[in-house]
Amino acid sequence: MLSASFMPTGEASTFPPPLLPSAPTVEHYRALFERADMGRYLLNSAFVATAVTAVSLFINSLAGYAFAKLRFRGREKLFQSLLAALVIPAQVAMLPLFLEMRALGLVNSYAGVIVPAAASIFGIFLIRQFAVSIPESLLEAARIDGATEFEIYRRVALPLLKPVLVTLALFTFMGSWNDFMWPLIVLTDDDLYTLPVALATLTRERVQDNEFMMAGAVVTTLPVLVVFLALQRHYVRGIMLGGVKG
C-alpha cells in the first residue's frame, strides 16, 4: 500500500505489479490535500475520535467503578443484562438508534456520532473487572476522611485505573477512527464526513486510480498506527494487569 501510493499513475495496475515505484512521486498525496480536501476530513476524524474517546472514558469509568465498588439494588442483574446484550449485533440497533437521533435533532451533526458511542458495554465490563481488584481499605480510609463517592472515584480510583484506561482509550480511539457505517448513516453533509466515509466517496469517483486510493489509505491508517505505537507500552501493561486481576 505504501509503495503503491508513491507510484506514478497506472503503474500499480501493470502486470506483473512492481514491488517498488520506478519513479517515486508525491503527486497523489498533493492531490489528496489540494483537490480532495483530505485535510478537512483528517481534522473531522481527529475531532470525532478524540471527543468519543474522552466522553467514553469518563462514562465507562464511572459505570465500571459503580458496578465494582458501589452497592445498590439490582446491581448484579443489571450487569448480567449488560453482558447478555453483548451478543446483539450492532447493526440490529442502527435503525432504532437513527430514529432516536432524528427525534433528538442530532442527525447530520457530530453529536449524532458522539452520543451513541458515549458508553459501551465492553468498556464498562473492562473497567469493572479491573476496578474489582482495588483494595476496599483504600476506599474506606477515604470515606473515613470525609471524601464523597465522586472524590473517591476521582482521587483514589482513577489513578489506580490508569493502565486499563489507556488500553480502553486505544481501543475506543481506533474503533471511532475506523468507524464507517454509523457516520455514513448519520452524516449527510460532505463537509462533516470523517476519513473512512470520505475515502469511500473518493473510491466511487476514482475507481481506476489505484495509486491515489492507496495514498488515501495511508493517510487514514497512519494516525492510528502512530497512536498505537506511542501507547503500546501502556496498552500491553493494561492487558497484562487486566488478565491477572480480572
Side-chain angles (χ1 to χ4, degrees), residues 19-218:
L19 180 61
L20 298 174
S22 58
T25 177
V26 295
E27 63 174 312
H28 307 298
Y29 290 97
R30 187 179 295 111
L32 274 174
F33 287 93
E34 292 181 356
R35 298 199 297 270
D37 205 11
M38 189 60 67
R40 176 195 296 272
Y41 303 130
L42 190 65
L43 292 176
N44 291 349
S45 281
F47 170 76
V48 171
T50 303
V52 166
T53 302
V55 175
S56 178
L57 284 181
F58 177 66
I59 295 179
N60 288 333
S61 61
L62 280 175
Y65 172 77
F67 277 117
K69 293 301 180 182
L70 301 184
R71 301 286 182 261
F72 54 90
R73 182 176 299 178
R75 184 185 70 168
E76 296 303 324
K77 290 184 178 179
L78 180 58
F79 186 67
Q80 291 170 5
S81 299
L82 284 177
L83 292 183
L86 279 173
V87 302
I88 302 175
Q91 291 79 4
V92 173
M94 283 188 174
L95 178 57
L97 187 60
F98 176 80
L99 296 177
E100 185 177 357
M101 292 298 103
R102 188 177 66 177
L104 294 173
L106 299 181
V107 173
N108 196 32
S109 70
Y110 288 139
V113 180
I114 297 170
V115 169
S120 68
I121 300 174
F122 172 76
I124 294 172
F125 171 76
L126 189 65
I127 297 293
R128 187 260 184 190
Q129 294 303 101
F130 196 92
V132 166
S133 64
I134 297 177
E136 289 288 346
S137 58
L138 291 177
L139 308 183
E140 289 300 327
R143 293 188 181 101
I144 292 174
D145 289 340
T148 64
E149 289 299 332
F150 186 78
E151 287 175 336
I152 295 173
Y153 154 81
R154 183 169 62 87
R155 297 183 178 181
V156 179
L158 276 186
L160 297 175
L161 292 174
K162 182 180 177 181
V164 75
L165 288 176
V166 173
T167 301
L168 181 59
L170 184 59
F171 278 134
T172 305
F173 185 88
M174 293 178 65
S176 177
W177 183 276
N178 293 325
D179 189 17
F180 168 74
M181 185 61 68
W182 182 245
L184 177 65
I185 292 174
V186 78
L187 298 177
T188 58
D189 192 342
D190 293 356
D191 292 339
L192 299 179
Y193 281 172
T194 56
L195 269 177
V197 180
L199 193 61
T201 303
L202 291 175
T203 301
R204 294 195 297 266
E205 297 176 357
R206 295 171 174 260
V207 65
Q208 298 296 331
D209 197 342
N210 295 321
E211 297 80 12
F212 181 85
M213 295 312 304
M214 290 301 100
V218 170

Side-chain angles (χ1 to χ4, degrees), residues 130 163-164 167 233-243:
F130 196 92
V164 75
T167 301
R233 178 170 57 89
H234 302 284
Y235 166 76
V236 173
R237 181 166 177 257
I239 289 294
M240 293 181 64
L241 288 177

